[in-house]
């Protein structure tokens, strides 16, 4: 779980935005400083568009194309194929910016 928090923190940092969770900021900063301190000195604000997709517990069932996408913090489960479908068809394929600059949950 820490690896995801560090990655999310770096995304917000490179976008020039504060991470919405102060605990994650504190934990991620310590983790980065201990392994790769130069990453904290990178230029900020260069990342203009991003969406963090937080899938629920992923499983390997067939694609359903029936899923809920919203600002969810806790979800049930979702197929890996549906996560891929959402990223490829909705975020990239349609160029949707509904969740630009933030995070979105996805679940079946």
């Amino acid at each position: 779980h820490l690896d995801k928090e560090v990655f999310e923190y770096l995304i917000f940092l490179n976008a020039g935005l504060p991470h919405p969770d102060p605990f994650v900021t504190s934990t991620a900063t310590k983790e980065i400083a201990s392994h790769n301190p130069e990453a904290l000195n990178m230029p900020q604000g260069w990342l203009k568009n991003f969406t963090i997709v937080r899938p629920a517990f992923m499983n390997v069932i067939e694609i359903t194309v029936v899923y809920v996408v919203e600002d969810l913090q806790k979800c049930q489960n979702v197929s890996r194929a549906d996560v891929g479908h959402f990223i490829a068809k909705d975020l990239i394929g349609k160029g949707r910016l509904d969740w630009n600059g933030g995070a979105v949950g996805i679940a079946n």
Side-chain angles (χ1 to χ4, degrees), residues 12 15 17 47-52 91 95-104:
F12 278 94
L17 300 170
L47 184 60
K48 302 298 181 200
N49 295 310
F50 72 91
T51 301
I52 297 170
L91 285 180
R96 293 185 62 179
L97 296 175
D98 304 35
W99 303 284
N100 186 40
V104 62

Side-chain angles (χ1 to χ4, degrees), residues 12-74:
F12 278 94
L13 181 71
N14 289 316
L17 300 170
H19 192 283
D21 185 343
F23 177 76
V24 170
T25 299
S26 172
T27 305
T29 303
K30 290 175 189 171
E31 184 69 15
I32 295 165
S34 69
H35 294 289
N36 190 8
E38 60 273 8
L40 295 172
N41 297 322
M42 293 174 57
Q44 297 179 16
W46 62 267
L47 184 60
K48 302 298 181 200
N49 295 310
F50 72 91
T51 301
I52 297 170
V53 178
R54 292 183 179 145
F57 180 78
M58 290 197 292
N59 56 44
V60 290
I61 63 173
E62 295 290 319
I63 189 168
T64 66
V65 193
V66 178
Y67 46 83
V68 178
V69 179
E70 52 188 63
D71 187 13
L72 302 171
Q73 292 299 317
K74 295 185 179 183

